[in-house]
Amino acid sequence: MLEFISRMLGRESASSKTVAKERLRLVLVHDRASISPAMLNKLREDLVKVISNYMEIDEAALEFNLCQDDREVALVANIPVVKMKRDYATKGLAE
Amino acid sequence: MGEVIVVTSGKGGVGKTTTSANIGTGLASNGHKVVLVDTDIGLRNLDVVLGLENRIVYDLVDVTSGNCRLKQALIKDKRFPNLFLLPAAQTKDKTAVNPEQMKTLADELKAEFDYAIIDCPAGIEQGFRNAIAGADRAVVVCTPEVSAVRDADRIIGLLEAAELRNPKLIINRLRPDMVKRGDMMDISDILDILAIELIGVVPEDESIVVSTNRGEPAVMDMGSKAGEAYRRITKRIEGEDIPLMNLDVPVGIMDRLKRLIGLR
Ligand SMILES: Nc1ncnc2c1ncn2[C@@H]1O[C@H](COP(=O)(O)OP(=O)(O)OP(=O)(O)O)[C@@H](O)[C@H]1O
Ligand SMILES: [Mg+2]
């Protein structure tokens, strides 16, 4: 009953303007970087592939995001390293 | 030497034409020599908002393609002898004019007028590129909605890419009652996201509909809230530092009820 009254009076868990603002913030990060989520995923895969030539990383814990500050967008990656490959191994790869 | 100001938005129907008509009329009533240019070729509207639809002989495309001289196409306003309209062509499309021609036209207008206000069509294609081609300044109109703000952001990027720096923002159709309820983004939310300078906030107002019905811009109606907002915007365009108008709504019975039973 109380819930009904409170819905009648228009109280919601998060106000719709907060939702609007958060959705806008996210969509504009991609708009401004003019890169689609699919392309961002591809970039992430490529990056993982390249880095894996040099070190073993924890792919599950990898953080990879476009971050926005004022009118600037930065690509921020946090890549936990599990193990470094031995130097001679990469030299070996190059030959 | 006058100034060319383009009124643009990206998203359609957010109030570019209404804003152009009101700013132009406001500047004229303050004594400036003003021309309003409708660049929405094929969807001519500024003429009816100004109540000048019966006087059109030549149009923008006639001027840019050399069919007539600028002076022949300009329509003098009913109320202000120093206000003119250059109407859009109705039977052609946006490719009938190119940005180069618009630049030439802008120079001609600047020599003749204090202000040329360019009403831009919706979208980011040729109509947009034509409208901004000769502009010195830009005003971006948006409403407090996700899609309108998103499109405004895109337009701001495109304006900057076209070297039209520091566009000014007009937030149109704000509903203070909804803002108060938390169901509409507030001025600060939008400024936070778009990070450009605000030049005015126009409330949602029935008097806009009434004034459009009559073909008399609300800026001349001293009893209209939206008109007051446009009078202030006009002064800011002239360079005056005017505070935002108070859009507060009185505390309603629902608010009091909610407070009583502890919901806010
Ligand atoms: N502040 C306001 N309060 C109430 N109605 C408004 C307000 N501003 C605009 N409108 C109405 O919204 C509609 C669209 O406005 P307008 O034609 O100025 O938009 P526009 O951006 O020029 O559209 P288009 O993109 O089609 O050219 C009109 O019917 C107008 O009367
Ligand atoms: Mg319009």
Side-chain angles (χ1 to χ4, degrees):
Chain A
M1 184 62 195
L2 227 167
E3 195 202 344
F4 173 73
I5 293 173
S6 110
R7 204 181 310 138
M8 280 273 301
L9 294 173
R11 191 177 73 156
E12 281 158 47
S13 47
S15 70
S16 71
K17 83 129 191 204
T18 314
V19 178
K21 199 177 173 190
E22 183 54 23
R23 288 177 58 218
L24 254 174
R25 198 184 60 75
L26 287 172
V27 82
L28 288 186
V29 170
H30 295 284
D31 280 5
R32 287 180 188 174
S34 41
I35 188 168
S36 67
M39 202 157 137
L40 198 62
N41 244 338
K42 180 90 174 43
L43 173 59
R44 176 197 170 115
E45 279 168 28
D46 286 352
L47 203 65
V48 166
K49 220 181 291 167
V50 172
I51 292 171
S52 301
N53 286 336
Y54 302 88
M55 53 196 80
E56 199 175 298
I57 60 175
D58 181 358
E59 235 183 284
L62 182 144
E63 286 170 40
F64 186 74
N65 274 309
L66 280 173
C67 297
Q68 168 206 333
D69 163 35
D70 209 11
R71 301 201 69 82
E72 301 280 331
V73 178
L75 180 63
V76 178
N78 188 355
I79 309 168
V81 178
V82 178
K83 212 194 279 174
M84 295 297 290
K85 297 203 170 161
R86 279 206 190 82
D87 200 25
Y88 71 74
T90 56
K91 271 179 198 149
L93 274 177
E95 270 157 27
Chain B
M1 190 75 162
E3 233 184 332
V4 178
I5 304 173
V6 62
V7 179
T8 182
S9 71
K11 187 172 159 62
V14 297
K16 294 176 292 296
T17 301
T18 305
T19 296
S20 301
N22 278 286
I23 290 176
T25 307
L27 287 167
S29 80
N30 291 352
H32 301 284
K33 195 174 177 198
V34 180
V35 61
L36 284 158
V37 184
D38 189 347
T39 63
D40 203 344
I41 298 172
L43 289 170
R44 177 155 86 194
N45 269 159
L46 198 48
D47 55 341
V48 286
V49 174
L50 291 162
L52 300 174
E53 65 273 17
N54 293 328
R55 308 185 177 195
I56 297 174
V57 183
Y58 294 108
D59 57 49
L60 174 66
V61 176
D62 289 322
V63 175
T64 52
S65 60
N67 270 353
C68 73
R69 282 174 296 114
L70 174 61
K71 283 236 163 67
Q72 292 175 286
L74 292 175
I75 297 158
K76 195 192 277 186
D77 184 65
K78 295 178 197 165
R79 298 141 293 230
F80 299 103
N82 50 330
L83 176 62
F84 295 83
L85 169 69
L86 180 53
Q90 185 69 322
T91 54
K92 311 212 172 66
D93 70 80
K94 269 138 200 156
T95 55
V97 181
N98 65 47
E100 224 23 74
Q101 293 171 322
M102 285 301 294
K103 254 183 225 161
T104 310
L105 175 67
D107 287 337
E108 209 176 330
L109 294 175
K110 276 200 274 196
E112 195 72 27
F113 294 90
D114 299 324
Y115 292 98
I117 310 294
I118 315 281
D119 181 16
C120 180
I124 54 173
E125 288 85 27
Q126 177 147 2
F128 168 74
R129 288 199 301 275
N130 285 338
I132 68 167
D136 303 306
R137 289 205 260 171
V139 170
V140 175
V141 183
C142 86
T143 55
E145 290 169 289
V146 175
S147 53
V149 175
R150 182 191 198 179
D151 289 0
D153 189 78
R154 185 103 165 83
I155 285 294
I156 293 164
L158 291 172
L159 289 171
E160 277 173 6
E163 314 263 289
L164 258 174
R165 310 221 179 268
N166 301 319
K168 302 285 192 288
L169 183 71
I170 291 181
I171 300 173
N172 188 23
R173 311 193 77 154
L174 190 85
R175 288 190 48 184
D177 56 327
M178 289 190 74
V179 171
K180 210 165 205 173
R181 262 192 272 142
D183 274 333
M184 183 176 271
M185 283 186 283
D186 197 0
I187 300 166
S188 60
D189 296 323
I190 298 170
L191 293 181
D192 216 24
I193 288 166
L194 293 179
I196 67 169
E197 206 182 305
L198 185 72
I199 199 167
V201 179
V202 182
E204 169 80 28
D205 189 349
E206 287 180 6
S207 73
I208 292 287
V209 180
V210 175
S211 70
T212 307
N213 286 344
R214 296 188 200 279
E216 292 168 358
V219 70
M220 296 183 303
D221 176 357
M222 290 302 148
S224 157
K225 274 208 154 190
E228 171 63 22
Y230 279 122
R231 284 192 289 280
R232 288 177 189 234
I233 291 170
T234 303
K235 289 199 181 128
R236 290 187 199 109
I237 286 177
E238 291 167 338
E240 271 187 68
D241 193 6
I242 307 281
L244 286 179
M245 67 190 276
N246 184 7
L247 292 172
D248 265 355
V249 282
V251 178
I253 187 157
M254 283 308 251
D255 286 299
R256 255 179 266 153
L257 189 57
K258 282 187 214 174
R259 216 166 284 155
L260 201 68
I261 62 172
L263 284 175
R264 44 182 296 175

